[in-house]
Amino acid sequence: MLIVMDRSATSADVEGVVAAAERLGLKAHPIPGAQRTAVGITGNKGAVGPGAFEALSGVLEVLRVSHPYKLVSREFHPEDTIVSVGGVLVGGTRVVVIAGPCAVESLEQTLTIAKEVKARGADLLRGGAYKPRTSPYAFQGLGEEGLKILAAAREATFLPVVTEVLDTAHVEIVAHYADCLQIGARNMQNFELLKKAGKTGKPVLLKRGMSATLEEFLLAAEYVLAEGNPGVILCERGIRTFTDFTRNTLDLSVVPAVKRLSHLPIVVDPSHGTGRREKVLPMSRASIAAGADGIVVEVHHKPAEALSDGPQALTPDMFGELMAQIRPIVAAVGRTT
Ligand code: PEP
Ligand code: MN
């Protein structure tokens, strides 16, 4: 439920609404706006009608929010949310580029790639220390050592770090080293992980599950926001379909759909979305044309030797070409790099 306050409502009126919600066992989330304040009410399971709030002082309107998600919805928060990842703003006028290896393999490998992508204009460094691998025999990541390597790469390049947290047991350690916690496609509905990541207060890059509907995707983000953490960046990374020429089908139509329903920023990962390096550049261009707030691309200086996702890794030179090709598209959609 969303309670829209009158323009003339006082802070005491807003407090009155919050107190009324709390008496009913609900959570109230005041959202100050330029013209007026709204108060989002969560925790109600349909039993509370608008009557409980309509008569309170300063209340203009009580709206039932039709979607099962609230905090992530545009009705609740009309302005775009901007998430700061170590000072880099995601969701504003800039289009951000998150680049780096699939996995942290060694200090030398990560430092080399971090410097290459920084030199070509990347905004944030990605790289997994804990890797979700289909096979238990595949490289699983370096764990905490990988996190330390990422921290060293940040120190060398000043690029804030985005890295995946796979397990609730690792949330604290990953949050200690990272600027942004990535929750991978396979964990999009790991609700305990979402809650624990939400509680850290760190920004969360939430990847869409490979068979998740838009509603399920937004409800997963809702778990993080419900912990009082507004810093969620959504990420489209391809969904499972019947195609046999890509690893996944990059669902770019989700970008305008998210923009309509939610205030959260959304970035696109054409690396996992296609699984093939030659498709990463065209789909990066398309992502930005579709209105994405950024892209996530995997880069490796020796793709043939990469311990994971080599076939989709761009070389540093290909990444430079990508940066050159997206610039005019960024400008054409009225944004900046
Ligand atoms: C990744 O970004 O390295 C990754 C494993 O992605 P996803 O969860 O989208 O498969
Ligand atoms: Mn990968």
Side-chain angles (χ1 to χ4, degrees), residues 101-103 126-128 130-133 164 166 182-188 205 207-210 235-238 247-248 269 271-273 296 298 308-309 312:
C102 178
R126 62 144 289 143
Y130 297 88
K131 293 304 302 175
R133 303 306 301 278
E164 178 160 355
L166 265 187
Q182 176 172 318
I183 295 192
R186 292 155 193 81
N187 266 324
M188 189 203 82
L205 180 97
K207 299 190 100 178
R208 181 183 181 186
M210 54 187 87
C235 179
E236 162 60 31
R237 49 77 71 203
R247 181 176 175 183
N248 292 292
D269 173 350
S271 299
H272 294 89
V296 183
E298 289 187 345
S308 69
D309 287 349
Q312 69 196 31

Side-chain angles (χ1 to χ4, degrees), residues 177-193:
Y177 289 100
D179 298 287
C180 179
L181 305 179
Q182 176 172 318
I183 295 192
R186 292 155 193 81
N187 266 324
M188 189 203 82
Q189 286 189 311
N190 181 336
F191 303 117
E192 290 306 313
L193 185 61

Side-chain angles (χ1 to χ4, degrees), residues 142-160:
L142 297 179
E144 187 175 357
E145 190 196 334
L147 297 174
K148 289 182 178 160
I149 290 172
L150 286 166
R154 172 177 51 213
E155 215 165 280
T157 60
F158 301 106
L159 291 175

Side-chain angles (χ1 to χ4, degrees), residues 87-115:
V88 172
L89 302 184
V90 184
T93 52
R94 287 191 58 218
V95 170
V96 299
V97 177
I98 306 170
C102 178
V104 175
E105 299 169 5
S106 68
L107 178 63
E108 185 264 323
Q109 170 254 15
T110 300
L111 268 183
T112 303
I113 298 168
K115 287 177 185 166

Side-chain angles (χ1 to χ4, degrees), residues 4 7 38 90-91 134 175 190 217 236 252 292 297 312 336:
V4 182
R7 279 170 195 245
V90 184
T134 301
N190 181 336
F217 191 18
E236 162 60 31
L252 289 185
V297 289
Q312 69 196 31
T336 56

